[in-house]
Amino acid sequence: MSPTAFLDAALDRSLVLGYTKIGSGLRKRWWPADPAPGSMHGKRVVVTGATSGIGEAMARSFLDLGATVHLLGRNPEKVSRYAAELRRDVPTADLVEEVCDIGDLEAVRAWCADLTGRVDALHGIVHNAGTMTQRREESPQGHELTLAAHVLGPHLMTELLLPLLGAAEGSSVVFMSSGGMYGAGLRSEPDEIEFREAAYDGVQGYARTKRMQVVLADAWSHRLRGGTIRVESMHPGWVATPGVTESLPTFNKVMGPLLRTAEDGADTAVWLVATRPDSAGSRHFWHDRVLRPTTFGWQRDQDPDALAAFLAYVVDATGTTAAW
């Protein structure tokens, strides 16, 4: 292992050093080159959760690279407000305002059908929309809300937009996960997946679904291997966003001075879509432009039966026919 690789791995395992702005500040000295200016000219990208924090920063970064950006949010006023801001700040901005509640599967179906009738190809989707609730809430279809917004809705959207993704010369799908997923094992029983088996913990529910996203992205990547569509997951580090301030006030107060900017948190997702790097074997989880392990050294690999049960639940809940 080279000295740089050793330092990078040490930062990653230390958490505080690797996940804060210290880690990205050091890694920028050696990480892969930035996307070339204008490298996404003529390409079309959907960013979900585009009206706050990392989503806002991501949309701006894609615009700076010349992409047509579809700003997707569930609140039409917020979508319009941020689109106006971007058009004011970036005179050449090519923006499309989109409204869809990712946690509502019927809304996802309707929006995907509408988009398919409007565009011919899609070069990228970043599944960034997220939520964290203090009590257990359900989507219109009766699914636990973070599961619906982080897992079921993005899976269904990916499935329905496959024809558009395949029509591009090369496309990427990125799931915005979280480093918190390391502390949550994959659940495979329906009551566990839906968080019905115990008193609800919003932070734990969030972490569970972020683990599910990583597992789901790996399954998608395996399913589409050898094709032109790449599916990855990544985590942004610890970022100062409105969501962190609201949902984790104590963490925000303690770690605030070390938290990354939203632009820093958005970096790897933008880089993945813009440069489409090769994943190594079965690994598809990224942080700071490098593939990362999905478990700590003492954690076991995912049980194949549990994995199969989880994926079967996702397929059944979304009414899709994915063949993993």
Side-chain angles (χ1 to χ4, degrees), residues 115-156:
L115 182 68
T116 300
R118 290 187 278 123
V119 305
D120 297 325
L122 190 59
H123 296 83
I125 304 173
V126 183
H127 293 304
N128 171 71
T131 187
M132 184 187 297
T133 61
Q134 297 303 311
R135 58 185 178 84
R136 189 181 184 280
E137 299 181 25
E138 291 190 346
S139 72
Q141 289 74 40
H143 299 291
E144 192 272 321
L145 193 58
T146 55
L147 173 73
H150 297 167
V151 180
L152 302 181
H155 169 75
L156 179 60

Side-chain angles (χ1 to χ4, degrees), residues 35-45 61-62 64-68 123-124 270 273-275:
S39 58
M40 296 206 68
H41 180 73
K43 297 183 178 181
R44 190 178 299 273
V45 181
S61 294
F62 280 127
D64 289 341
L65 291 172
T68 296
H123 296 83
V270 174
V273 175
T275 67

